[in-house]
Amino acid sequence: MPKRRQVFLGLGSNLGDRVGFLRDAVAGLADLAGVSDVYETAAVGGPEQGNYLNLVVELHTALSARQLLGLCRELEGAAQRVRTVRWGARTLDVDVLWIDGENINETDLIVPHPRMFERSFVLVPLRDLAPELLPDGFDADTASRVDQVVCLGRLEAQSPRSTV
Ligand code: GSY
């Protein structure tokens, strides 16, 4: 039996029932060890699009990096995600951010996620679960203000009103 490792996944939604997509994805996760607060965040990159809801989850799992990537794709598929416009609006995006002890550099899988340490929409929720992983000197208050990252509180406390 492979050893369980600490893993962080980043989830985001900016199309349709954003709360519902996040809630269903989190509910479908085995080995869940933690869920950050939900943050409303200004979209980074791509065409003009609506705000995202973002959160980070922690798993303690024996799944391999490739199995985790498969899990991310499955969760996106379950949210009827359609890949049309690159960096465009999406019902659900799930990224493997970090796996304890892993460094992977393959065309379709890079761990730690290559942009996670530049993105306030990842770092601010990650701080809820693993402040020790944040870059030295990261100032969440300044980052939240500059990059428009607003804490909405716990996922279970969200109402489904935030449909876009
Ligand atoms: O890379 C994840 C998808 N994504 C996001 C996101 O989740 N949140 C914000 N705020 N902007 C984003 N741009 C992309 S692409």
Side-chain angles (χ1 to χ4, degrees), residues 11-13 41-45 52 54 87 90 93 95 119 121:
L11 283 73
S13 171
T41 69
V44 173
Y52 278 79
N54 283 109
W87 310 118
R90 70 253 344 243
D93 189 277
D95 290 323
R119 292 173 157 182
F121 69 78

Side-chain angles (χ1 to χ4, degrees), residues 41-160:
T41 69
V44 173
E48 199 170 315
Q49 55 190 293
N51 285 349
Y52 278 79
L53 295 184
N54 283 109
L55 58 79
V56 168
V57 297
E58 177 177 357
L59 309 180
H60 292 174
T61 178
L63 293 179
S64 69
R66 277 257 142 231
Q67 287 172 321
L68 286 164
L69 181 63
L71 173 65
C72 294
R73 296 291 166 266
E74 260 175 47
L75 294 170
E76 291 172 353
Q80 295 101 41
R81 171 160 168 193
V82 181
R83 289 170 188 271
T84 45
V85 182
R86 190 155 193 242
W87 310 118
R90 70 253 344 243
T91 54
L92 186 68
D93 189 277
V94 188
D95 290 323
V96 179
L97 298 175
W98 189 89
I99 303 172
D100 188 28
E102 279 273 23
N103 264 290
I104 301 174
N105 200 342
E106 294 170 12
T107 34
D108 60 338
L109 181 61
I110 303 178
V111 180
H113 190 285
R115 290 174 294 282
M116 67 177 279
F117 296 111
E118 298 153 17
R119 292 173 157 182
S120 299
F121 69 78
V122 172
L123 293 176
V124 176
L126 183 63
R127 185 179 66 144
D128 292 343
L129 302 172
E132 68 281 6
L133 291 185
L134 301 184
D136 282 345
F138 177 73
D139 174 353
D141 292 334
T142 304
S144 298
R145 202 171 47 250
V146 170
D147 296 331
Q148 298 172 53
V149 174
V150 176
C151 185
L152 301 183
R154 307 298 303 159
L155 180 58
E156 52 275 18
Q158 306 303 310
S159 67

